Amino acid sequence: GLVGAKDLEDMQKVSKLLKEGEKFPGGCKSKSQCEAYCAKPDNMETCLTFAEKAGFIPKEELEMAKKVIPLMKAGKTPGGCQSKEACDTYCENPDNLDVCVAFGEQMGAISPKEVAMIKKTGGKGPGDCRGKKQCEAFCQSPENQETCFNFGKDNGLIPPEDLRKMEEGMGFIRDALGDESTELAQCLSEALGPDNVDRIKNGQPIFDRGLEEKMRGCFEQ
């Protein structure tokens, strides 16, 4: 129980390769040595071949890496970045947005729809976040969920069908709260709290994801 399931799975894949006579890239002996070796552009293809044999990389990422590595070695990536981390850092700078979007589109990593969205928003997400990790971290915070929802709605990121289902669901809960004498309404009122009950009755959405389980419990009862 010392290793997580994903790490254990990776270790088993590596063990199988070594038993078959495969060698670590560049003869590296530890994770830190291998990472240092594979961070150098001239070694990336060797490391990618090893990762492919081990089954470490999803098919889509593998295909993208095979396209990008030759460009990295030739210095033709945005700003001449030589690693994923360096490219992420370079592309987080607003001044480099156009170059990075053009490169992503050229590589097939960004769809025309995504390009249009990036240009529309200036590459910024809700709360002026930049990049997937930063925006996910911002939107996971409960106090930011309404901001993120409104951003998604205003910029067409939420499919109309999903919006319709959300509105139907809120209507269903609003109807259930309508007769305060029922056990269901009483349970929902307690689960939601007075502020959220008022929002629902006024046709406003609620953004506390933790309430989902409590409301489900009321309906199951």
Side-chain angles (χ1 to χ4, degrees):
L2 298 175
V3 181
K6 180 66 174 69
D7 286 340
L8 185 62
E9 183 184 342
D10 287 346
M11 290 163 70
Q12 288 167 339
K13 288 175 180 177
V14 170
S15 178
K16 181 175 180 291
L17 271 184
L18 296 178
K19 285 176 182 176
E20 292 171 354
E22 189 70 36
K23 304 292 184 185
F24 280 121
C28 58
K29 300 291 186 184
S30 67
K31 185 178 180 182
S32 58
Q33 279 185 9
C34 292
E35 286 177 347
Y37 178 84
C38 292
K40 297 176 181 176
D42 288 344
N43 302 333
M44 285 180 176
E45 286 174 314
T46 302
C47 296
L48 189 64
T49 300
F50 182 86
E52 183 177 10
K53 287 179 180 177
F56 285 161
I57 305 179
K59 184 180 177 183
E60 296 77 13
E61 287 184 30
L62 186 66
E63 290 174 356
M64 186 58 61
K66 286 180 177 179
K67 290 181 184 178
V68 173
I69 286 173
L71 296 175
M72 266 188 188
K73 292 172 72 174
K76 294 182 178 178
T77 46
C81 56
Q82 298 278 292
S83 69
K84 184 178 185 300
E85 292 73 21
C87 292
D88 286 345
T89 300
Y90 180 84
C91 289
E92 282 170 4
N93 185 331
D95 293 338
N96 303 328
L97 179 65
D98 290 341
V99 174
C100 293
V101 169
F103 182 81
E105 191 173 16
Q106 176 191 343
M107 291 291 98
I110 308 176
S111 69
K113 184 178 179 182
E114 289 172 321
V115 171
M117 179 59 61
I118 291 169
K119 289 180 177 177
K120 178 181 177 182
T121 61
K124 294 180 182 179
D128 286 344
C129 62
R130 289 188 179 276
K132 185 179 179 183
K133 285 185 180 179
Q134 196 180 100
C135 290
E136 282 180 349
F138 179 84
C139 289
Q140 279 170 1
S141 178
E143 63 267 23
N144 297 332
Q145 286 173 12
E146 184 169 2
T147 301
C148 293
F149 173 79
N150 289 332
F151 180 89
K153 185 177 179 181
D154 294 343
N155 289 287
L157 298 175
I158 304 174
E161 177 65 13
D162 288 354
L163 286 172
R164 185 184 64 78
K165 286 179 181 177
M166 290 171 70
E167 288 169 2
E168 286 177 355
M170 295 299 288
F172 183 69
I173 296 169
R174 189 161 51 248
D175 290 344
L177 287 167
D179 186 349
E180 295 179 4
S181 65
T182 66
E183 288 184 42
L184 176 58
Q186 290 166 13
C187 182
L188 285 171
S189 294
E190 186 176 336
L192 291 163
D195 290 342
N196 284 324
V197 168
D198 287 342
R199 287 183 69 91
I200 290 172
K201 287 182 175 180
N202 292 324
Q204 297 172 297
I206 53 175
F207 300 96
D208 186 345
R209 295 177 183 177
L211 293 174
E212 183 181 353
E213 285 298 322
K214 292 180 182 178
M215 287 194 290
R216 182 181 293 121
C218 291
F219 285 108
E220 286 172 355
Q221 289 178 46

